[in-house]
Amino acid sequence: MAITAPDPTVDPTAVPQTKGPLRRALDRFFENRAARAGLLIVIPILLAVSTYPLWWPFGPNTIDLRAMNKAPSAIHWLGSDGVGRDVMARLLQGGRISLLVAVSSVAISTVIGFLVGAVASFGGRLVDGTVMRLVDLAMTLPPVIFLLVLASIAGTGIAPTILVISLLSWPVLSRMVRARLLELRERDFVVAARGMGAGLPHLLFRHGLPNCIDILVVYATLQIANAILLEAGLSFLGLGIAPPEASWGNMLNLARSTVVLENYPWQWMFPGAALVLTVLAINFIGDGLRDAFDPRSDLN
Amino acid sequence: MADAPFLAVKNLAKHFAPTAFSRGPVVRALEDISFDIRRGQVVGLVGESGSGKTTIGRSVLRLIEPTSGQINYDGTDITRLGAAQLRRQRRKMQYIFQDPFASLSPRMTIGQILTEGLDIQGIGKKSERRAKAETALAAVELPVDAYDRYAHEFSGGQRQRIGIARALTLEPEFIVADEPVSALDVSIQAQIINLLRDLQLRLGLTMLFISHDLAVVEYICDTVIVLYLGRIMEVAPAAELYARPQHPYTRALLSAIPSLDPLARQDRQVLKGDIPSPANPPSGCVFRTRCPFALEACVGAVPPLRATAEGHLKACIRDDIA
């Protein structure tokens, strides 16, 4: 075999360009079959829920007096309820409300959780001790009772429900963020940033946030599923979204009547199925993200 | 005053006290450390693991708060600076880390890492920062296209060059190099040492060079400080220290350097035992528990650092062993 002369245009010391850590995590995410299935379920649901007024003839509160408690048919695909409202339209509108409540409450609790954890870890020993004891206190409150008390103070409706759910779920996140940042604070590259004169905002948002992004994304995803369930639970108890506004929880509330439960299964079965399917799919995505961000997964 | 030292450390001490909720002894990491560095000088700091080399390096840049003492940097005592003044001061002094794998953020590109200091200090526009970063890359002999890559794409030696480039982008006057080569292969060590030497001469940097490798220290340093258990044992110009070590600890350190001469190996002086715990240091001279020349008198008082020749200081009460 002939020995070829080295190609002068290729620098042998050049380093091949590879992808950044976020990009590699996303690649791993898309290799995960369950996560892809989750996306395949969630994306159509999101599309349907956000665009339904454009293609579905009925509104969530349109009453069709000729169709009360009618089984699924060509006109009302998922049937109609006791006052002649279309179950399909209410299901889609309910999805809108449920997802809106879940996404905004998770967004709020993620911000609170990150900031509390960040302040605790970078604020010095005294601040850390005080803040974390308060977090401990918040975590010892029995969640169901706390939820009911908060809900009875805040009242029903979309904004109070968002408030109640977001106030309940940040402590766990703030502990995870604190643990991560305490470790990060001693890392050499953070010490280097301090040595160059970095203040708290720089340390938190240039180093803290990017190095917590995995915790935040995974927490937020899994928490969305949880928040949907919480909203459904609150609405089922009559403390969340009040009728006539639709949500998956208050649609399930109908099943409390044995008449509906036995004779009109389409009125509670579809919102129930939508709830289970969405929560399951979001959990798949959350698990996929967690695996993708796991530093050990690079070794496999 | 032309003769005023550039960096004057006086009676520096660092004690690590137990926290409010835990009990335990106070760890005396540094005790009564005083030394001067003249402008443009390279001062070596040697000593075994746990002797407080890194604690001095970080205290001098106020990356950890000293318990007491003064650090006069070009006339300003940096232990008294407020947050805003310290921030401005940090431009002039930089740190090079030991571990090139821990010192670069895995989530930032090399460009972001190199321009971070300029960004923090608010120096220059984006294009100017990039130009400065590329100059620094060239200074450490890395290709300019490293700018958009991530740290994990580089080898240990290359990463250490990036760490050095980061310290250079702020154009500091003073650099603390904390064992910059001890995590690298021997062949790469020489490259990095030569690079540091060239940069130091070319940019007129003043440097505190921390190492436990005595051969490297001899090559790069003008003056050497020998540290043991948080105290200075001996200070001398490098050539003088290697030729005429005065302190028994320095002699033991020097005799531990591997030698190719089989005859020289025979009078090797091996220290027994480990360095004592700084939480419970020996009374008097901290080295007396391992010192082959220790006397009764060594137990009583801490030996002061005194001059034995021009620029040569030692903390030992015996004059008959040199």
Side-chain angles (χ1 to χ4, degrees), chain A residues 21-22 114 180-181 184 189 201-217 293, chain B residues 105-108 112:
Chain A
L22 197 64
F114 176 74
R180 174 66 63 87
L181 292 184
L184 188 78
F189 60 86
H202 179 94
L203 293 179
L204 277 190
F205 294 106
R206 292 292 297 279
H207 291 287
L209 194 58
N211 284 289
C212 283
I213 201 77
D214 52 342
I215 301 182
L216 296 179
V217 167
F293 279 121
Chain B
S105 170
R107 298 198 180 271
M108 289 164 87
Q112 288 170 324

Side-chain angles (χ1 to χ4, degrees), chain B residues 90-108:
Chain B
R90 287 200 184 286
R91 241 184 242 192
K92 302 182 198 161
M93 39 194 221
Q94 286 298 309
Y95 200 87
I96 295 170
F97 290 85
Q98 173 176 8
D99 181 355
F101 293 91
S103 66
L104 306 177
S105 170
R107 298 198 180 271
M108 289 164 87

Side-chain angles (χ1 to χ4, degrees), chain A residues 33 107 113 143 151 162 172 191 204 209 220 227 229 235 240 249:
Chain A
R33 221 178 276 167
I162 292 174
V172 181
V191 175
L204 277 190
L209 194 58
L229 292 176
S235 303

Side-chain angles (χ1 to χ4, degrees), chain A residues 107-172:
Chain A
I108 294 171
S109 71
T110 307
V111 172
I112 298 178
F114 176 74
L115 289 180
V116 170
V119 166
S121 54
F122 276 94
R125 210 172 268 169
L126 194 69
V127 177
D128 185 21
T130 317
V131 170
M132 290 327 282
R133 293 302 80 71
L134 290 177
V135 169
D136 286 346
L137 195 69
M139 287 174 90
T140 51
L141 294 172
V144 176
I145 297 172
F146 182 57
L147 208 59
L148 294 182
V149 171
L150 263 185
S152 61
I153 296 169
T156 59
I158 296 179
T161 309
I162 292 174
L163 182 78
V164 167
I165 296 176
S166 50
L167 283 183
L168 189 76
S169 42
W170 60 267
V172 181

